[in-house]
Amino acid sequence: MATINRNYLKLPGSYLFSAIGKKVREYESAHPDAEVIRLGIGDVTQPIAPSIVKALHAATEEMGNAATFRGYAPDLGYAFLRETIADKDYASRGCDIAADEIFVSDGAKCDCGNIQEIFGYDNRIAVCDPVYPVYVDSNVMAGRTGEYDPQTQRYKGVIYMPCTPDNGYTPELPTEVPDLIYLCFPNNPTGAVMKKDQLQEWVDYANKNGSIILYDAAYEAFIAEEGVPHSIFECAGARTCAIEFRSFSKTAGFTGLRLGYTVIPKDLEAGGEKLWPLWARRHGTKYNGAPYIIQRAGEAVYTDEGQREIREQIRYYMDNAKIIRDGLREAGYEVSGGVNAPYLWLKTPKGMTSWEYFDWLLSEVNVVGTPGVGFGPNGEGHFRLTAFGSRENTIAAVERIRKASL
Ligand code: MLT
């Protein structure tokens, strides 16, 4: 008789953003005249930049021509894209990363979720709290987290690293040494960053203890301040303790196109075994590569024209962030983030819980955000808004929140 992977039963009913989507759809069907503004899931609203669209068209034409048609993509990605990434994202920042250490994929979410498969099932994970839910959920599915304790709202086998206003939303080094450490900076959901010297401490800690840092740098393109590393490989010694995830989703509006990549240095080992061949084996077995036309679009992101266009889009979103930050601060809210990241992190007013504030915002002003507690118990009493809306919706949402009385 077939049985199920019972670890799935330990998970909350649905993925955070699916749960929010369902609540909003239910509200909209009960209130068909409501003009709901969505600043919940971090989905982009600006169209794909013209030079990238041109590359998509050109690659599509190639696929329709027998002489230039391509079938399966190389497992690890086309050399034209991997070499461009190695040069523009790494060599240009003084990082020693070779093209064949880059694994192209259909996005950072899948890679962040799947990477745990190459590690032992007895590995202990450490995560920030609050945290992007994929890291914990994917380890729950793999049976690595122990039972869920409804009292503490935590899995018993996970090391949670509190990120609070007191530590500037950057975690302290854990006293109990984890095997795998998930870090995401600029941070989703708080928008906080780590300076290079802070990140260097984590690299030194991981090297000293034989831990691996799984570094999610999906939001690096939004960094505006000096001294904030764009890659963990800017830190000395990261090649022997870190894996990095990058995404084209927010950087270049690819949430619908799907493209990302993972960097695994060839020297990186766990328990005396190299990790690169394991991920290559996994990729070869379970994945047939990101589509050719999407990889060509990714390459176009790095052209001068592509860079100029995506920089403009990033500026647009970060101007939205400023509108939300300034507007809500004037209205008396405590707001952080939104300087090096497209997320704003608010303290909920009047001691409301995150979900109470979600419900109030949706029903009273028809604005959707993400309850902080959805990212972990330390997110309780907080709320996330994204800067990825249109300018018009961002201004309208801030106005509605400011005018509403609680
Ligand atoms: C978010 O809103 O946290 C992200 O859009 C989710 C994701 O990138 O998967």
Side-chain angles (χ1 to χ4, degrees):
M1 186 178 74
T3 57
I4 58 158
N5 175 352
R6 299 193 69 80
N7 294 313
Y8 276 67
L9 303 182
K10 298 177 192 162
L11 289 164
S14 49
Y15 182 58
L16 174 63
F17 295 106
S18 319
I20 292 172
K22 184 163 173 269
K23 262 182 173 267
V24 176
R25 283 191 302 278
E26 281 168 5
Y27 179 83
E28 284 179 320
S29 66
H31 303 85
D33 296 333
E35 285 178 17
V36 175
I37 297 177
R38 289 172 160 75
L39 300 180
I41 190 166
D43 198 2
V44 293
T45 51
Q46 292 285 293
I48 299 293
S51 62
I52 301 170
V53 172
K54 204 162 141 206
L56 280 167
H57 281 299
T60 307
E61 288 301 322
E62 283 182 70
M63 293 298 268
N65 180 332
T68 50
F69 168 77
R70 317 270 179 136
Y72 289 124
D75 288 349
L76 309 188
Y78 283 101
F80 64 76
L81 180 57
R82 300 165 84 203
E83 281 161 13
T84 305
I85 291 169
D87 181 29
K88 306 279 187 181
D89 284 347
Y90 291 101
S92 71
R93 294 196 180 274
C95 304
D96 174 22
I97 294 297
D100 65 357
E101 294 175 319
I102 293 163
F103 295 77
V104 174
S105 73
D106 57 356
K109 179 179 180 181
C110 314
D111 287 354
C112 288
N114 292 327
I115 195 72
Q116 46 76 28
E117 286 185 25
I118 64 171
F119 293 98
Y121 287 94
D122 55 354
N123 278 207
R124 191 93 194 270
I125 70 161
V127 292
C128 291
D129 173 14
V131 70
Y132 179 45
V134 169
Y135 315 143
V136 176
D137 286 5
S138 55
N139 279 287
V140 173
M141 291 168 180
R144 207 178 271 110
T145 55
E147 291 306 316
Y148 183 72
D149 177 359
Q151 208 72 32
T152 59
Q153 298 173 43
R154 292 186 160 112
Y155 291 93
K156 290 180 179 162
V158 173
I159 299 169
Y160 290 88
M161 307 182 291
C163 295
T164 64
D166 293 341
N167 59 18
Y169 299 109
T170 57
E172 274 101 48
L173 296 168
T175 45
E176 196 182 350
V177 176
D179 303 301
L180 304 175
I181 303 168
Y182 286 85
L183 294 178
C184 170
F185 288 97
N187 187 257
N188 178 14
T190 64
V193 287
M194 266 200 209
K195 291 282 165 91
K196 187 166 165 195
D197 52 341
Q198 285 177 290
L199 187 57
Q200 183 66 57
E201 282 180 29
W202 283 86
V203 168
D204 296 343
Y205 171 93
N207 274 323
K208 184 171 143 233
N209 293 301
S211 313
I212 300 286
I213 299 176
L214 302 168
Y215 194 72
D216 183 350
Y219 299 96
E220 66 76 33
F222 296 83
I223 293 171
E225 292 181 325
E226 291 294 318
V228 180
H230 288 248
S231 165
I232 195 166
F233 296 112
E234 289 177 40
C235 295
R239 284 186 61 86
T240 51
C241 68
I243 290 177
E244 179 163 286
F245 307 96
R246 292 278 192 104
S247 169
F248 288 72
S249 287
K250 318 293 159 79
T251 308
F254 277 40
T255 52
L257 289 183
R258 308 304 314 151
L259 192 66
Y261 66 86
T262 291
V263 179
I264 305 190
K266 290 219 167 149
D267 3 6
L268 185 62
E269 290 183 1
E273 297 288 345
K274 298 255 186 276
L275 293 174
W276 189 99
L278 303 189
W279 190 241
R281 185 68 174 83
R282 194 236 173 240
H283 236 54
T285 301
K286 294 196 175 180
Y287 189 56
N288 264 332
Y292 173 70
I293 59 172
I294 307 298
Q295 294 197 47
R296 280 292 183 204
E299 183 191 31
V301 168
Y302 295 96
T303 60
D304 290 347
E305 193 61 359
Q307 283 294 298
R308 195 186 54 69
E309 291 167 351
I310 66 159
R311 289 278 134 217
E312 230 167 78
Q313 291 189 343
I314 289 169
R315 199 168 319 116
Y316 176 93
Y317 292 132
M318 293 312 282
D319 286 347
N320 283 350
K322 185 168 169 18
I323 290 168
I324 300 173
R325 203 176 55 244
D326 293 352
L328 295 189
R329 277 187 182 164
E330 276 166 33
Y333 281 83
E334 274 179 46
V335 188
S336 58
V339 175
N340 295 294
Y343 295 121
L344 288 300
W345 188 244
L346 337 174
K347 203 163 165 0
T348 52
K350 308 219 161 148
M352 291 171 98
T353 68
S354 302
W355 279 108
E356 280 168 358
Y357 187 64
F358 173 91
D359 288 335
W360 178 81
L361 211 58
L362 176 59
S363 59
E364 293 303 313
V365 297
N366 297 159
V367 172
V368 181
T370 309
V373 73
F375 298 102
N378 266 309
E380 183 53 284
H382 289 81
F383 200 75
R384 194 193 76 175
L385 292 173
T386 93
F388 287 121
S390 66
R391 177 62 41 79
E392 191 191 355
N393 278 346
T394 301
I395 293 172
V398 171
E399 272 316 292
R400 289 186 198 178
I401 298 172
R402 282 167 61 111
K403 281 194 193 133
S405 60
L406 255 167

